[in-house]
Amino acid sequence: MANNHIYHSVKVKLQKMGQDVSDFTHDVFVDTKRKLTSGEVKMCQLVFKNSIDYSKVYLHAGGLTAGGIISKTGNAVTLDGETWFPIDEYKKNPDFSTSPLGQNRHWFIHEMTHIWQSQLGHSNGFAGAKILCTGGYTSTVNSVDSGIGELKGYDTDILGRDKNKKFSDFNFEQQGRLIEFWFDAMHLKNVNPSRQHHQKSLQLLPSIQIILSNFLKNPSDPTLLPSP
């Protein structure tokens, strides 16, 4: 029942994004899948330490529809502790930890944040449906932190309105954004450092470190998960 709700939410999201979902089914069509590489595990451990059971994580190419809707939108989707990437991106990144593009690495870490949330007990499918219902996946804003055209559900203002928030006060997508900013600033200094995302990450780092202080001490703490 829960999976039906999740798939319905994804279908509605894609419809609102103007995608053709005529071939949408309740089955997940997987072109191929793989486990994490040793390099990806080591990269994740820089952030999540051993709070994730990495042996249970699978990365998939395409999926959710026979026509490969994920590849059409360019988005990754993480459900039930596994991640589906666009087919082309999956093929280009047999090991995300060695990608020459910084954006691929912090994108991977963002999705692994959802793996972390799921394994600690957070219902990302339900949380995603709530964001969808409030326009978080269909409305864009000029985000102070992420820039022009950011989806509303990901929007943060760390130096302004969100300055005094705890990590658990942020929704599950915003948590992914905060962790990817931190990872970019701390571990991607030599990977395309002129990137706008990296420069913003460096600017936000002191404030994000305060927000993530308890997470960085003990990422296994379930009280860090987004509030219901």
Side-chain angles (χ1 to χ4, degrees):
M1 188 68 176
N3 279 345
N4 286 341
H5 178 70
I6 291 170
Y7 294 135
H8 174 72
S9 297
V10 173
K11 180 178 180 180
V12 172
K13 174 183 173 182
L14 293 169
Q15 286 174 325
K16 290 187 175 183
M17 292 170 65
Q19 300 300 320
D20 178 10
V21 293
S22 58
D23 59 355
F24 191 94
T25 75
H26 288 309
D27 295 319
V28 176
F29 290 82
V30 181
D31 296 288
T32 187
K33 68 178 183 180
R34 66 173 177 83
K35 289 193 171 185
L36 300 181
T37 67
S38 60
E40 288 167 340
V41 171
K42 290 178 182 178
M43 186 167 70
C44 289
Q45 288 174 327
L46 296 173
V47 184
F48 306 102
K49 300 180 182 177
N50 291 318
S51 62
I52 292 175
D53 184 345
Y54 299 104
S55 68
K56 294 182 178 180
V57 180
Y58 280 93
L59 306 184
H60 300 261
L64 290 183
T65 70
I69 273 298
I70 289 177
S71 292
K72 293 179 182 178
T73 64
N75 297 322
V77 173
T78 299
L79 295 172
D80 297 331
E82 301 186 21
T83 300
W84 284 259
F85 286 98
I87 294 174
D88 287 346
E89 295 300 329
Y90 180 95
K91 290 180 178 179
K92 291 177 185 176
N93 292 281
D95 185 339
F96 278 92
S97 71
T98 61
S99 173
L101 302 178
Q103 56 265 36
N104 284 348
R105 299 195 200 187
H106 70 66
W107 180 27
F108 173 79
I109 291 296
H110 179 109
E111 296 306 322
M112 287 302 299
T113 301
H114 299 328
I115 298 289
W116 167 80
Q117 293 160 337
S118 179
Q119 287 200 6
L120 262 66
H122 189 253
S123 177
N124 287 355
F126 177 72
K130 287 175 61 178
I131 291 176
L132 176 65
C133 290
T134 58
Y137 290 128
T138 56
S139 301
T140 59
V141 296
N142 294 335
S143 174
V144 174
D145 295 338
S146 300
I148 298 172
E150 175 63 282
L151 288 173
K152 181 181 176 183
Y154 297 72
D155 178 35
T156 59
D157 181 8
I158 300 305
L159 303 181
R161 69 172 187 272
D162 297 326
K163 184 176 182 179
N164 296 315
K165 286 185 177 181
K166 298 182 298 183
F167 188 47
S168 60
D169 292 331
F170 294 89
N171 71 41
F172 83 112
E173 295 288 14
Q174 292 169 331
Q175 283 194 343
R177 187 69 88 222
L178 294 178
I179 287 179
E180 73 173 74
F181 275 134
W182 180 85
F183 176 77
D184 197 348
M186 294 295 295
H187 298 290
L188 299 181
K189 296 178 182 178
N190 298 317
V191 185
N192 315 119
S194 62
R195 290 176 292 112
Q196 183 177 353
H197 189 284
H198 182 68
Q199 294 303 311
K200 175 59 72 171
S201 298
L202 293 175
Q203 177 189 349
L204 297 176
L205 181 59
S207 295
I208 289 180
Q209 284 185 305
I210 293 173
I211 294 172
L212 294 183
S213 58
N214 290 332
F215 170 85
L216 296 174
K217 291 176 185 176
N218 180 21
S220 297
D221 181 1
T223 67
L224 297 165
L225 294 170
S227 302

